[in-house]
Amino acid sequence: MRASDLLKSRPEGLYCPPGDFFIDPVRPVERALITHGHSDHARSGHRSVLATQETLDIMGLRYGEDFAGTTQAATLGETVDINGIAVTFHPAGHVLGSAQIAVEHGGMRIVASGDYKRQKDATCLPFEPIRCDVFITEATFGLPVFRHPPDHEEIARVLKSAAQFPERSHLIGAYALGKAQRVMRLLRDAGYDRPIYIHGALAKLSDYYQSQGIDLGRLEPGTVESGAKADFAGAIVVGPPSAFADRWARRFPDPISCFASGWMRIRQRAKQGGVELPLIISDHADWDELIVTIKETGAEEIWVTHGREEALVRWCELEGIAARPLHLVGYEDEGD
Amino acid sequence: MNRFAELLDRLVLTPSRNGKLTLLTDYFRSVEDPDRGLALAAITGDLTIAAVKPAMLRALVVERMDPVLFGYSYDYVGDLAETVSLVWPQPQGHIPNHVPTLAEVVGRLQAASRSDGPKVLARLLDDASISARFAIIKLVTGGLRIGVSARLAKQALADLGKVDVAEIEELWHGLAPPYTELFAWLEGRAEKPRSAALALFRPVMLSNAVDDGDLEKLEPADYAAEWKWDGIRVQAVCEGGVRRLYSRTGDDVSGAFPDLAAAMTFEAALDGELLVGDPREATGTFSDLQQRLNRKSVSPKIQQQYPAFMRCYDALQINGEDLRALPFAERRKHLEAFVEALDPSRFDLSPLVAFSDWETLERLRQAPPHPIIEGVMLKRWDSPYLAGRPKGPWFKWKRDPHTVDAVLMYAQRGHGKRSSFYSDYTFGVWAGPEGAEELVPVGKAYFGFTDEELREIDKYVRDNTIERFGPVRSVRADRKNGLVLEVAFEGLNRSTRHKSGVAMRFPRISRLRWDKPAAEADRIETLQALLDR
């Protein structure tokens, strides 16, 4: 079987004609397989959804319990048969519940990795490289300039700054699902034991993480009711990045704005966003992780989805690996 | 090296002055000699390292990686030093077992000959972390561009040692990197360094603005008045054959004014205003003066067209005698006698303005005899020359600013405390024929309003946004809708960089004109008329 007969791109997303299912479709479909809970990958309104239990739970929290007609939980490493196609979910290391999806038929195995990273993350299972014929990789940080430093070094910089500026508050912008909880967990691992103040948008998901045994310590709402301005002196506050440009941020004393993202590698990006303390903490693979992963899968062919495809395709060419961009639409290039 | 790199990374993104001071003093306190002194020299521009050209840096990196991938990377990042610091491939199996100190890095770079410079640089980059690579490249390509002036670095030293910044400025030119004896003094481990160097900078005396009600309390007979010249404050010091022209903050600017420096053939330290023209005939305008500012080197043609001269108003030292403790009246006599003997095409005396009461002076102030006069200075006859800005002896009484009614066009989010506020405003005035008027931007201002007014404008911006570009919002502004801002400014220059053809000096918001319809804001012709005066 040819790879392009097993999976092909359609306007709705990546489609498997013999299995009649989509992976991470961007429009409502009959049968959807979903890699992880970020909203550009996990949308509501499908007839049936197959995903890990955590991803299903997260979708339920975000969209309400009736986000799909029927749901089925996939167990990592266990193969499911869908219309004669063998489908297996494997951990992707991106956020809690994230998975790669291996699709196999007639001796051809394609792995759709969704979003992934290789750096250790205490809030989710680590990525497992799966041998395959075709590996579908993201390329959010597909340029040699993206090199993520160890995350604990980045967190140490926040704590150092908090000690240097005890009269000010530190506002860390982080995406509500995954990044925010990872940042909180890293703070705890670095020995920070004061309460962490959170924006309301993070509450449900953070509670869910805690219920899954991921200890985030004491979280308190970052609202005026919880204190006067001076009470937030020296506080660390976590919220979605958009909230910090918002009036919400005014309740904190002389805040230092921090943003946890792989994009913070580029000084100009930090500067434009008014970020004073950029934290290069990413849930996506950096350049080195992308190329190491491509080699580990042993794939003879690489399909590159959202992000900066051209550099990764060029690298594959230099290495003698066939590669092409997939041109899927509807995924965020700028997420993280 | 890593601590220096981290300091640079923080400074470049820290907008507030106090934040920068904290970062600098913490660094100076926690880092040992000689690294901290070398860092200080790098920041103040006193560190000499043979420069590596950008083309050479580029050549080094494409020897080590695919040029196409480098091209994609450079296109994306846009800054060569940053791109190279990020993509620099560490040699296979190379694990540096030692992080070099700043002193080691500087030592190796300074010891390198011109021909092996690039090789030495490459070895340093191999051993460095990403941030450290960026710092090293900044050191060798010249110019850190981190938004920290030499003056601010000296303020941080003053904070560290709890001394007055004037003391550091007075010492500064007699010291050299890595400033070990300076740090020893600031940390209370040694005596204040005694400087044997000649022609040092003497911290200048500054004035306070005249506030409402100030004059009523002052006796006109106690004060001398002079015109306030809108040039640049300089200090000309010649001692034992060493000649230096210093800016107000103690930076040596002799190189930018070789014509004036060449005429400094005396033994004295004089305080005055640098202007252009020939003092016997005509004093140039501020636009003329601008031709001589912010230039590293200056062509003979420009020197001839816009000759620099100094209009002297104080004498700190003459022929080895320190005059600073004398009253102004005495110093002035010395000065008058001294300037008499100098080259009259390069030095003249700032004339005193005779007045008997404040009303007379007020009339003179409002109608000065030359466009480069921006007000009057008041100096107590009996005051010694004091470093810093003591309250009482010297006042500046500026001409009232110009104002114009302009319409808010764009608003940008601020930084730090103001990061959730739209606090930087671009405003425009009307241009074009009647019936087809258009706003042309004429300036940008980010202060002059109260916190309460800031909240009101912020709300107005959010409620009247028509487009967003990153941190900037375009605000509804047409003949019927728009917020009129009264903008005060000190002067106007011709500008080829701005579409309107004018550039404002020191613009700030003086009033919000919620009452004024946008169509009644000023027209560009009002500003153009100011230019032609």
Side-chain angles (χ1 to χ4, degrees):
Chain A
M1 175 163 240
R2 288 191 318 182
S4 58
D5 294 330
L6 187 55
L7 277 179
K8 55 177 60 183
S9 45
R10 283 240 199 130
E12 297 92 327
L14 204 54
Y15 180 61
C16 174
D20 191 24
F21 59 80
F22 287 88
I23 297 176
D24 290 352
V26 296
R27 298 178 196 169
V29 299
E30 279 295 307
R31 183 189 281 272
L33 277 53
I34 291 183
T35 58
H36 67 280
H38 278 145
S39 56
D40 51 334
H41 293 259
R43 304 196 185 226
S44 61
H46 305 305
R47 179 67 61 87
S48 84
V49 168
L50 174 64
T52 63
Q53 185 59 52
E54 293 88 345
T55 298
L56 294 174
D57 291 344
I58 288 165
M59 291 175 80
L61 286 173
R62 295 194 132 177
Y63 301 123
E65 286 310 321
D66 55 351
F67 66 88
T70 62
T71 62
Q72 183 187 344
T75 307
L76 293 173
E78 273 182 23
T79 302
V80 186
D81 183 286
I82 304 177
N83 300 329
I85 306 295
V87 171
T88 319
F89 283 58
H90 301 277
H94 179 54
V95 296
L96 181 60
S98 68
Q100 319 172 62
I101 299 175
V103 177
E104 197 169 357
H105 184 68
M108 162 68 60
R109 182 192 286 163
I110 304 180
V111 171
S113 59
D115 291 334
Y116 66 96
K117 70 168 175 290
R118 305 298 300 272
Q119 233 188 72
K120 191 168 89 345
D121 176 352
T123 66
C124 62
L125 294 173
F127 179 95
E128 279 174 18
I130 306 299
R131 303 286 299 181
C132 56
D133 302 290
V134 176
F135 182 65
I136 306 179
T137 181
E138 59 144 322
T140 306
F141 293 115
L143 268 180
V145 295
F146 291 110
R147 300 252 157 87
H148 306 329
D151 50 15
H152 61 88
E153 287 179 10
E154 298 299 290
I155 283 296
R157 299 197 309 117
V158 183
L159 295 177
K160 178 175 173 188
S161 181
Q164 258 178 322
F165 297 98
E167 72 290 358
R168 302 176 68 178
S169 53
H170 283 69
L171 265 55
I172 306 180
Y175 279 97
L177 167 59
K179 185 70 63 65
Q181 294 77 22
R182 181 175 168 207
V183 163
M184 295 186 236
R185 178 69 223 186
L186 284 166
L187 284 166
R188 297 309 183 202
D189 289 343
Y192 187 77
D193 53 11
R194 296 175 53 182
I196 296 172
Y197 296 91
I198 59 170
H199 185 272
L202 308 185
K204 263 198 287 186
L205 285 164
S206 300
D207 285 349
Y208 176 69
Y209 267 61
Q210 303 241 50
S211 76
Q212 294 297 301
I214 296 156
D215 186 9
L216 305 178
R218 199 164 125 222
L219 308 182
E220 304 223 339
T223 52
V224 185
E225 296 81 63
S226 53
K229 202 167 192 171
D231 295 347
F232 290 112
I236 293 181
V237 185
V238 183
S242 58
F244 295 144
D246 203 359
R247 285 170 246 207
W248 175 76
R250 286 181 200 166
R251 65 196 63 187
F252 305 109
D254 196 5
I256 293 184
S257 82
C258 318
F259 182 23
S261 166
W263 298 113
M264 291 297 102
R265 185 38 108 185
I266 310 296
R267 282 179 183 76
Q268 201 52 34
R269 300 269 309 217
K271 221 168 185 175
Q272 275 163 358
V275 176
E276 273 189 64
L277 186 61
L279 304 174
I280 310 161
I281 299 178
S282 174
D283 283 331
H284 294 270
D286 70 0
W287 176 257
D288 297 316
E289 294 171 31
L290 288 171
I291 63 182
V292 143
T293 306
I294 288 173
K295 284 182 175 165
E296 283 179 4
T297 62
E300 282 160 16
E301 197 173 334
I302 303 298
W303 296 351
V304 187
T305 63
H306 51 292
R308 264 128 286 271
E309 299 96 341
E310 55 189 10
L312 204 53
V313 169
R314 165 78 187 175
W315 179 86
C316 290
E317 277 169 14
L318 293 173
E319 292 288 313
I321 302 171
R324 64 182 176 91
L326 262 192
H327 301 306
L328 291 174
V329 291
Y331 300 98
E332 270 184 50
D333 288 352
E334 295 274 302
D336 193 40
Chain B
M1 189 66 213
N2 286 347
R3 288 173 303 183
F4 176 62
E6 185 190 335
L7 176 70
L8 297 189
D9 280 346
R10 286 294 316 257
L11 286 173
V12 78
L13 292 174
T14 299
S16 91
R17 183 171 181 275
N18 285 339
K20 287 178 185 174
L21 284 173
T22 303
L23 294 169
L24 285 165
T25 40
D26 281 359
Y27 176 83
F28 292 139
R29 190 175 292 124
S30 61
V31 173
E32 61 285 350
D33 294 322
D35 269 28
R36 56 181 172 177
L38 293 169
L40 173 62
I43 291 169
T44 58
D46 291 293
L47 194 64
T48 27
I49 289 177
V52 170
K53 293 237 157 32
M56 177 55 71
L57 194 58
R58 211 189 169 109
L60 282 176
V61 75
V62 297
E63 277 170 25
R64 288 165 170 77
M65 74 180 285
D66 176 39
V68 176
L69 286 176
F70 176 74
Y72 289 149
S73 301
Y74 185 29
D75 285 350
Y76 183 82
V77 177
D79 176 272
L80 185 68
E82 185 167 1
T83 312
V84 173
S85 73
L86 292 169
V87 300
W88 189 265
Q90 234 154 36
Q92 284 289 323
H94 177 86
I95 298 160
N97 51 9
H98 164 72
V99 179
T101 64
L102 179 57
E104 286 167 346
V105 169
V106 169
R108 278 156 73 181
L109 288 169
Q110 284 178 332
S113 69
R114 184 181 281 269
S115 60
D116 66 9
K119 211 167 70 193
V120 170
L121 173 63
R123 280 297 309 275
L124 286 170
L125 296 181
D126 283 348
D127 285 350
S129 67
I130 288 175
S131 283
R133 277 183 220 141
F134 182 72
I136 292 168
I137 294 169
K138 284 289 179 189
L139 285 177
V140 298
T141 50
L144 297 178
R145 292 172 205 280
I146 48 170
V148 175
S149 62
R151 166 92 186 174
L152 192 72
K154 290 171 198 164
Q155 184 62 55
L157 295 172
D159 292 354
L160 177 71
K162 306 207 165 34
V163 298
D164 195 298
V165 67
E167 287 193 75
I168 295 183
E169 282 179 335
E170 184 147 6
L171 282 174
W172 188 255
H173 288 276
L175 304 172
Y179 309 108
T180 342
E181 70 280 31
L182 175 67
F183 283 108
W185 167 56
L186 293 172
E187 289 175 340
R189 291 183 284 109
E191 289 294 301
K192 183 170 171 178
R194 290 249 310 263
S195 178
L198 294 171
L200 291 180
F201 172 70
R202 286 138 175 91
V204 299
M205 180 160 178
L206 301 168
S207 60
N208 289 286
V210 170
D211 274 338
D212 292 346
D214 273 350
L215 292 180
E216 294 151 30
K217 286 176 263 164
L218 304 178
E219 181 54 52
D222 290 344
Y223 285 85
E226 283 174 51
W227 297 119
K228 183 173 184 341
W229 303 95
D230 191 10
I232 57 170
R233 180 88 177 262
V234 287
Q235 188 178 99
V237 191
C238 306
E239 226 174 341
V242 180
R243 303 170 188 176
R244 297 250 193 275
L245 191 64
Y246 293 110
S247 72
R248 199 183 94 165
T249 51
D251 295 323
D252 185 350
V253 294
S254 319
F257 303 99
D259 46 349
L260 179 57
M264 288 163 51
T265 52
F266 48 76
E267 284 281 315
L270 304 179
D271 188 2
E273 203 77 5
L274 186 139
L275 296 161
V276 299
D278 184 331
R280 293 163 301 186
E281 293 164 12
T283 303
T285 63
F286 193 83
S287 307
D288 295 337
L289 176 62
Q290 273 198 316
Q291 305 299 319
R292 294 293 302 266
L293 302 183
N294 302 321
R295 286 171 189 271
K296 276 250 162 66
S297 65
V298 37
S299 70
K301 190 177 158 216
I302 293 281
Q303 287 184 43
Q304 208 178 5
Q305 237 175 333
Y306 303 102
F309 73 89
M310 180 168 171
R311 184 151 282 162
C312 307
Y313 40 67
D314 219 319
L316 314 188
Q317 183 168 325
I318 287 179
N319 297 325
E321 191 192 345
D322 194 335
L323 307 179
R324 286 180 286 183
L326 298 179
F328 174 70
E330 293 291 314
R331 295 202 309 279
R332 175 80 194 184
K333 279 187 201 137
H334 284 282
L335 180 72
E336 284 172 4
F338 190 75
V339 170
E340 190 100 312
L342 301 180
D343 176 352
S345 68
R346 296 293 178 184
F347 296 91
D348 78 346
L349 196 62
S350 171
L352 295 177
V353 179
F355 72 105
S356 51
D357 50 59
W358 299 127
E359 289 72 32
T360 315
L361 193 58
E362 162 69 6
R363 273 194 301 279
L364 291 165
R365 180 181 74 100
Q366 291 294 358
H370 194 279
I372 201 161
I373 292 173
E374 54 165 0
V376 293
M377 294 294 301
L378 300 174
K379 296 179 178 173
R380 255 192 100 92
W381 288 109
D382 61 2
S383 157
Y385 192 94
L386 301 166
R389 203 187 292 276
K391 178 93 181 159
W394 284 15
F395 287 98
K396 56 185 169 194
W397 191 13
K398 285 208 188 178
R399 201 172 53 191
D400 294 337
H402 306 286
T403 61
V404 68
D405 286 334
V407 186
L408 175 64
M409 297 176 72
Y410 306 98
Q412 183 172 355
R413 273 212 318 274
H415 291 285
K417 272 181 201 170
R418 287 178 166 185
S419 55
S420 67
F421 288 99
Y422 285 87
S423 62
D424 297 12
Y425 309 115
T426 301
F427 44 82
V429 295
W430 296 108
E434 206 181 315
E437 293 92 345
E438 273 188 352
L439 285 170
V440 282
V442 290
K444 196 172 173 181
Y446 46 89
F447 65 98
F449 35 81
T450 63
D451 287 354
E452 183 52 41
E453 285 171 331
L454 172 60
R455 268 189 287 277
E456 288 166 17
I457 311 176
D458 180 77
K459 177 165 191 322
Y460 181 86
V461 169
R462 289 173 193 271
D463 293 347
N464 290 279
T465 300
I466 49 178
E467 246 182 303
R468 303 168 69 149
F469 324 87
V472 178
R473 291 189 183 208
S474 166
V475 181
R476 181 178 308 282
D478 51 41
R479 297 295 282 177
K480 291 207 178 74
N481 304 286
L483 172 58
V484 177
L485 307 169
E486 184 185 283
V487 178
F489 56 100
E490 292 304 311
L492 215 52
N493 298 325
R494 275 178 211 288
S495 164
T496 47
R497 294 227 306 263
H498 300 84
K499 189 176 160 194
S500 61
V502 298
M504 284 183 179
R505 295 179 46 215
F506 202 50
R508 66 271 188 189
I509 309 294
S510 60
R511 265 199 303 166
L512 306 183
R513 297 295 307 269
W514 297 105
D515 56 309
K516 191 160 192 169
E520 289 176 26
D522 280 311
R523 289 187 54 87
I524 186 73
E525 289 78 9
T526 314
L527 292 176
Q528 283 161 349
L530 269 179
L531 272 182
D532 299 333
R533 268 221 321 239

